[in-house]
Amino acid sequence: MPHQLFVAPESRGDGTGLSPADAADYRDFESPDGFWKRTVADLLELGSVSVSFAGGTYARGQLFLESVGHGTHTLVLHGAPDHSTVFWIAPGDAPKSNIFCRRCTNLVFRYFRFTGAGEIDYVLRFRSGCTYMAIDRCLWEELPNVGFGATGVTDAGTSHVTYTDCIFRRVGPDSHAHMMYHAHDAHHVTVSHCIFEDCAGDYVRFRDLVDHSSVVDCRFVSTGTYPSREPASRPFITMPLFNDCKPGSDDCPDPLTHRQYEYFGTHYVFARNTFEYRNHPGHGNPFAIAFEHYGHDPPGRNHLLTPWEGNLLVRGEAEERRMLLKANCGIDMDRVRVYSNQFVEVRRRFTFGSHVDYGAATKGWEGYANIDSLANADPGPDMRPGFEIALPMTLLY
């Protein structure tokens, strides 16, 4: 059994965290002799640790976890099973992230509820080398002012993050807000058995070389009533690029290494999901899955298409279309596996879009092309090489 520790919205008793009566302050992460940096770290050297968050409202600012975790022993952070452990984003003083993890490893988050009308960039965020994160049975609900993501996985070296049995409802004020915003070279993001209902922007986003990722056994619903001030039907799963850097310009002097160039990933599994638009309000894009490019061609790619290429992608033979996507965009449709999904009132099941933006010069074609018939529909094992979750065995205690 793991070592048991306890935290609360404010410290109780002697604040050591060794019992519910002496629960530590959940924000005791700054002092080198405090709860997270000393008590938790020392016990993790001996074995797995469970930190119980007492039921109640956590509204006193950010929980910042940096370099927390152990390569072998798992740290489980869990709220009350009835979801009465509530991280509340308070109006007026919310930080950029409610829970922020950097360079952490082998952590589990379970039974947390996130809600509130405060303005915030991200609610639960992982970046800068976080590995082996598991988010299980958490709720994100009534978050009307999330700027970018209810949750998100970011940066090269951030990998093997799994979301299971989570629920997202009514997130964001406009198209910039997403329920999941994964970006910039993170990889092995696995989403399964989750529910997504009503988002102001794309529901799940894999931007810029977020690769080796999957969404399986999930349910996506747009009721056509959200946001209340301007309801819209937004795409459910997207792989977008935003290339605002023109190669060779003063802003992008080095076309080989400039960090602003964005590229498509190509290893995905989207299987056994339900995509449902209950009431399309008349605008927006009711698309289930989409690759989309905006802006300039990054070095080595030709995402902007000529009229001949655009016509080929829309009307060509299947093998010609696959070859075009691979040669121009680096998208290998044999490695994009899409099967056994259900679609209700979906305008496009799987689409590729190319859009001139950020001052890019048109090559003569922009718009959308259906590519649902090009994906690999092989219903073999979901986790072939490259998709393995590979969680530490200590998660299974």
Side-chain angles (χ1 to χ4, degrees):
M1 291 294 294
H3 300 280
Q4 299 287 333
L5 295 172
F6 303 88
V7 297
E10 296 181 350
S11 64
R12 300 172 180 174
D14 63 18
T16 59
L18 300 180
S19 71
D22 294 316
D25 185 327
Y26 78 105
R27 298 192 312 159
D28 186 8
F29 50 76
E30 294 183 356
S31 169
D33 294 319
F35 177 77
W36 293 102
K37 291 187 177 180
R38 173 58 62 86
T39 305
V40 173
D42 286 353
L43 284 177
L44 276 174
E45 292 298 319
L46 303 176
S48 295
V49 174
S50 174
V51 178
S52 176
F53 284 66
T57 301
Y58 293 71
R60 294 175 52 236
Q62 182 185 70
L63 172 59
F64 176 52
L65 302 176
E66 182 172 22
S67 302
V68 172
H70 189 278
T72 302
H73 303 142
T74 302
L75 173 61
V76 179
L77 288 64
H78 67 88
D82 63 356
H83 290 101
S84 61
T85 301
V86 180
F87 276 79
W88 186 57
I89 294 86
D93 61 351
K96 287 186 177 295
S97 300
N98 204 215
I99 299 180
F100 181 67
C101 298
R102 183 165 63 193
R103 292 191 293 275
C104 296
T105 190
N106 206 2
L107 269 58
V108 177
F109 293 81
R110 183 174 292 145
Y111 296 132
F112 292 108
R113 180 172 178 244
F114 304 95
T115 190
E119 295 185 4
I120 194 168
D121 288 349
Y122 290 84
V123 179
L124 172 60
R125 194 177 194 194
F126 306 95
R127 65 175 312 176
S128 304
C130 284
T131 58
Y132 300 111
M133 304 284 108
I135 305 90
D136 176 40
R137 286 168 281 182
C138 292
L139 307 180
W140 289 257
E141 298 180 302
E142 310 301 342
L143 291 158
N145 291 307
V146 168
F148 298 111
T151 188
V153 176
T154 311
D155 298 329
T158 304
S159 71
H160 294 88
V161 180
T162 70
Y163 296 84
T164 307
D165 292 311
C166 294
I167 297 175
F168 299 78
R169 291 193 177 105
R170 293 174 291 279
V171 172
D174 55 37
S175 62
H176 297 91
H178 313 283
M179 290 168 165
M180 291 187 173
Y181 197 155
H182 311 307
H184 307 312
D185 301 286
H187 58 92
H188 288 84
V189 180
T190 302
V191 184
S192 67
H193 296 91
C194 294
I195 296 173
F196 303 88
E197 181 176 320
D198 284 340
C199 189
D202 306 353
Y203 288 50
V204 175
R205 171 175 280 189
F206 300 102
R207 174 182 174 183
D208 181 26
L209 274 180
V210 177
D211 210 355
H212 296 282
S213 297
S214 62
V215 180
V216 297
D217 296 304
C218 292
R219 183 182 181 191
F220 294 82
V221 177
S222 170
T223 64
T225 63
Y226 187 87
S228 58
R229 59 178 173 264
E230 188 182 4
S233 296
R234 298 295 303 170
F236 289 133
I237 301 174
T238 61
M239 290 73 71
L241 307 181
F242 301 93
N243 277 300
D244 58 356
C245 237
K246 181 180 180 180
S249 67
D250 291 340
D251 292 332
C252 299
D254 188 338
L256 297 179
T257 62
H258 199 287
R259 64 180 179 83
Q260 284 188 278
Y261 296 128
E262 300 190 2
Y263 294 86
F264 288 115
T266 194
H267 301 83
Y268 297 104
V269 175
F270 305 126
R272 301 188 304 271
N273 303 294
T274 299
F275 302 99
E276 179 181 1
Y277 291 96
R278 291 181 181 170
N279 177 31
H280 181 46
H283 66 282
N285 292 326
F287 302 165
I289 307 167
F291 283 104
E292 294 200 65
H293 166 80
Y294 297 85
H296 301 272
D297 284 331
R301 296 286 186 263
N302 292 289
H303 299 162
L304 298 172
L305 305 182
T306 66
W308 181 85
E309 290 171 325
N311 184 67
L312 179 66
L313 187 59
V314 173
R315 301 180 177 85
E317 297 294 328
E319 189 57 31
E320 294 174 321
R321 299 164 70 200
R322 289 191 187 96
M323 291 175 62
L324 176 65
L325 286 172
K326 188 172 183 179
N328 282 40
C329 306
I331 300 171
D332 184 350
M333 294 301 290
D334 286 336
R335 300 179 182 274
V336 181
R337 301 180 58 236
V338 181
Y339 63 88
S340 299
N341 297 292
Q342 298 183 42
F343 303 91
V344 180
E345 299 298 325
V346 171
R347 181 179 296 172
R348 294 178 184 269
R349 296 185 175 188
F350 196 0
T351 189
F352 173 86
S354 181
H355 314 280
V356 175
D357 208 342
Y358 306 113
T362 182
K363 294 182 182 179
W365 185 91
E366 62 178 317
Y368 293 100
N370 287 328
I371 59 172
D372 52 292
S373 63
L374 306 182
N376 186 347
D378 177 10
D382 288 336
M383 299 298 171
R384 290 184 172 182
F387 288 95
E388 67 278 4
I389 297 177
L391 291 174
M393 289 301 294
T394 48
L395 286 180
L396 305 178
Y397 69 81

